[in-house]
Amino acid sequence: MRGYLVVIILSAGFLYYVLHCILWKTNTYWMPPLEMERRNKILTCSVKPAFEPILNIRGIHPFLCASDYKKMAELHGSHRIDLPYGIRRSERYFQLALSRLQSCDLFDESDNVPCKRCVVVGNGGVLKNKTLGEKIDSYDVIIRMNNGPVLGYEDDVGRKTTFRLFYPESVFSDPVHYDPNTTVILTVFKPQDLKWLWALLSGGKASPNGFWKKPALNMIYKPSQIRILDPIITRIAAHHLLHFPRVFPKKEKPKHPTTGMIAITLAFQICHEVHLAGFKYNFTDHHSSLHYYGNDTMTQMSQNAYHNITAEQIFLKNLIEKDYVINLIKD
């Protein structure tokens, strides 16, 4: 009799484990109680987003919190993966950087918009002379990336910024670009990124070693405005959306999503309607403008071995054709 009881208990435990795995992998809206508690700002909308068919998991809190980032890493499998898509072997650096931040909140407590309309503003030259500024500023959430300026380009790109993704080599260092209403999000690709942030917020001097170009050596944003992106967001962009291989041949440089693609993936997690502006590039004319600002041309884009721009453009074209997202620039 005792043997039967042991078998029943073990079988029940196994069945629970199987059901747990199935729900975690297939149910878009299921998540453990801790996740639900931290993500109530995201999941209050009853309307299914147009882009739901392309996502296996939604509602992930996108920012790491010092109190439980290791638990979240175990939940998402990030503890088994090295940077840039996990935290393994970099836990100490994550802890140091997170210890200097004051919040991991997504939106203010006063925010009461349940089904957010979001626009992700790319830095493409296609934004020039389109006078989309007023339209862009009308969205609930406005996501920008890197050092794409607002100052001086308001008519084309708007004035407001909710979130701005960056890495040490692309963050603003001139206080003239400071916006007190912006939350800036560090996208981590290497341990040096975390050591850099910790040094700047600790009042120390950040080392410029280990970066592909000179990083900012001062931080114009307050600790309360800074967040660290959970690597799972970048991993979703790379493996689930763009279907990049998890292992590249030894002679081939690994490809990673652009900051723009990561920003769109972030929008898929926190928004219920996503619009795009500034993501179209003219690959046939290498002398056309790469950005809506500056003098860089498409030549720089074609020389980039770190990203697969063609794959991203095909993916975005598919999103637009299926009406999963809306492109504000039609031509």
Side-chain angles (χ1 to χ4, degrees):
M1 181 67 180
R2 184 175 299 175
Y4 284 114
L5 183 61
V6 170
V7 170
I8 292 172
I9 293 173
L10 290 176
S11 299
F14 178 74
L15 179 61
Y16 171 83
Y17 172 78
V18 170
L19 290 174
H20 173 87
C21 293
I22 292 173
L23 284 170
W24 171 242
K25 289 182 179 180
T26 61
N27 191 331
T28 301
Y29 296 99
W30 180 89
M31 53 183 58
L34 178 61
E35 289 275 282
M36 184 68 77
E37 181 180 348
R38 294 175 66 211
R39 290 145 179 78
N40 57 358
K41 288 278 185 183
I42 304 174
L43 300 180
T44 52
C45 183
S46 60
V47 179
K48 290 185 178 181
F51 50 81
E52 183 189 30
I54 65 170
L55 294 183
N56 291 326
I57 302 171
R58 282 199 74 242
I60 293 174
H61 187 79
F63 307 143
L64 295 180
C65 302
S67 61
D68 66 355
Y69 79 97
K70 289 185 178 179
K71 291 181 181 178
M72 294 300 104
E74 291 180 3
L75 181 65
H76 299 150
S78 298
H79 67 300
R80 297 190 296 268
I81 305 171
D82 294 342
L83 277 172
Y85 305 143
I87 72 166
R88 186 175 64 180
R89 295 192 287 195
S90 297
E91 292 91 344
R92 175 171 169 266
Y93 301 121
F94 275 102
Q95 185 66 56
L96 284 172
L98 287 167
S99 71
R100 292 294 172 180
L101 304 186
Q102 297 178 1
S103 174
C104 61
D105 292 343
L106 182 57
F107 299 110
D108 292 335
E109 286 299 320
S110 59
D111 185 285
N112 58 5
V113 179
C115 302
K116 289 182 169 57
R117 294 176 66 252
C118 303
V119 61
V120 185
V121 184
N123 295 332
V126 69
L127 279 168
K128 281 186 177 182
N129 302 319
K130 294 298 191 298
T131 60
L132 283 173
E134 187 175 349
K135 172 73 173 178
I136 287 171
D137 283 343
S138 70
Y139 286 82
D140 301 316
V141 175
I142 302 162
I143 304 176
R144 305 184 194 270
M145 67 272 330
N146 301 326
N147 53 357
V150 167
L151 187 65
Y153 301 90
E154 294 89 346
D155 287 346
D156 287 330
V157 302
R159 301 173 184 273
K160 301 177 183 178
T161 304
T162 311
F163 299 116
R164 183 180 290 273
L165 281 73
F166 73 94
Y167 46 89
E169 298 94 332
S170 74
V171 66
F172 286 129
S173 59
D174 188 340
V176 72
H177 295 292
Y178 174 71
D179 181 354
N181 299 312
T182 295
T183 296
V184 292
I185 308 165
L186 174 63
T187 306
V188 183
F189 279 90
K190 50 192 179 298
Q192 288 91 334
D193 298 345
L194 296 163
K195 291 189 281 186
W196 166 86
L197 182 62
W198 175 79
L200 292 186
L201 296 183
S202 300
K205 186 176 181 181
S207 170
N209 298 326
F211 297 93
W212 64 272
K213 73 174 185 178
K214 185 178 179 180
L217 299 181
N218 65 293
M219 176 58 70
I220 67 172
Y221 299 98
K222 299 175 182 178
S224 60
Q225 294 177 268
I226 303 172
R227 306 288 188 270
I228 297 178
L229 191 71
D230 191 323
I232 192 176
I233 301 297
T234 310
R235 193 161 78 241
I236 290 172
H239 299 322
H240 296 282
L241 300 182
L242 296 175
H243 301 292
F244 287 170
R246 296 175 187 271
V247 179
F248 285 83
K250 290 184 178 180
K251 294 183 179 180
E252 182 179 349
K253 289 185 178 181
K255 301 294 190 298
H256 300 292
T258 61
T259 314
M261 186 65 212
I262 298 169
I264 293 171
T265 307
L266 168 65
F268 285 161
Q269 294 298 321
I270 65 176
C271 308
H272 285 79
E273 187 176 337
V274 175
H275 293 193
L276 307 178
F279 279 89
K280 189 174 182 180
Y281 297 97
N282 184 0
F283 289 97
T284 60
D285 183 3
H286 286 182
H287 298 291
S288 62
S289 297
L290 176 58
H291 301 135
Y292 65 84
Y293 59 92
N295 299 315
D296 289 343
T297 65
M298 285 299 300
T299 303
Q300 282 89 340
M301 179 73 82
S302 61
Q303 293 173 347
N304 194 322
Y306 194 67
H307 304 301
N308 188 336
I309 304 300
T310 301
E312 293 196 9
Q313 289 291 295
I314 293 173
F315 173 76
L316 294 179
K317 185 174 183 290
N318 185 54
L319 286 183
I320 295 167
E321 288 179 347
K322 292 185 176 181
D323 294 325
Y324 292 159
V325 301
I326 302 298
N327 186 18
L328 297 186
I329 301 176
K330 303 301 182 182
D331 56 345

